[in-house]
């Protein structure tokens, strides 16, 4: 089984209850293709969402999502990397996502070294790294942070010289838990 990330954008905002309803309605398609929905992060404005799945391969997930009626333009396999010593409390506190895209493949170690060098910038803005999803082709990265707000993360990332495409606050929608539960995927 591999980790997969689906990125979606919406012209009309979605609410968290609709996301949960659609995800639960897709369970039979997911089961047929051995795909497990791990959860979704929905932007506070409802116009952007990231969903995490576990599946045998990308094509199984693509087929299950299409059969469930989902748009599948940005689906990629990746690896999951947690902050050292990450516990459930720190994961539960994650509330801001940073999107990064790279024209050419990058090294996770090189990016981590850059972020480590800018650790004081993160600290100054009360921003704490929690988790990263890194694409297998090394051209895409999503990072979760705990912070007072998205602007604090944006400022800290800028001051640390970290590349970023977008920064947004999210709410977590997880299987079997109430919407806005205290966990992130």
């Amino acid at each position: 089984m591999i980790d997969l990330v689906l990125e979606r954008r919406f012209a009309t905002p979605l609410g968290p209850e609709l996301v949960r309803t659609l995800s639960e309605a897709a369970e039979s398609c997911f089961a047929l293709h051995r795909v497990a929905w791990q959860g979704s992060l929905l932007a506070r404005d409802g116009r952007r969402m990231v969903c995490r799945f576990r599946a045998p391969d990308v094509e199984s997930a693509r087929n299950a999502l299409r059969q469930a009626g989902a748009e599948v333009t940005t689906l990629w396999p990746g690896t999951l990397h947690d902050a050292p010593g990450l516990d459930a409390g720190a994961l539960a506190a994650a509330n801001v996502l940073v999107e990064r895209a790279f024209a050419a493949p990058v090294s996770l170690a090189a990016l981590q070294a850059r972020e480590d060098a800018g650790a004081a910038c993160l600290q100054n803005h009360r921003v704490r790294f929690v988790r990263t999803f890194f694409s297998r082709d090394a051209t895409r990265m999503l990072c979760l942070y705990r912070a007072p707000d998205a602007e604090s993360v944006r400022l800290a990332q800028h001051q640390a010289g970290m590349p970023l495409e977008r920064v947004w606050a999210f709410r977590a929608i997880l299987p079997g838990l109430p919407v806005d539960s205290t966990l992130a995927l």
Side-chain angles (χ1 to χ4, degrees), residues 2 91 119 184:
I2 61 172
L91 183 57

Side-chain angles (χ1 to χ4, degrees), residues 13-81:
L14 293 184
E17 291 300 338
L18 178 59
V19 172
R20 175 175 301 293
T21 300
L22 293 171
S23 298
E24 290 172 354
E27 284 181 14
S28 62
C29 294
F30 293 163
L32 180 65
H33 295 279
R34 298 182 17 225
V35 174
W37 173 56
Q38 302 297 297
S40 299
L41 304 177
L42 180 64
R44 290 284 174 179
D45 69 1
R47 294 184 180 275
R48 190 175 282 299
M49 183 170 64
V50 169
C51 304
R52 182 173 154 235
F53 299 93
R54 301 258 314 138
D57 53 55
V58 176
E59 205 51 39
S60 296
R62 190 178 315 281
N63 288 335
L65 288 160
R66 283 186 179 142
Q67 285 178 3
E71 178 188 320
V72 191
T73 47
T74 310
L75 176 69
W76 46 271
T79 54
L80 184 74
H81 305 273

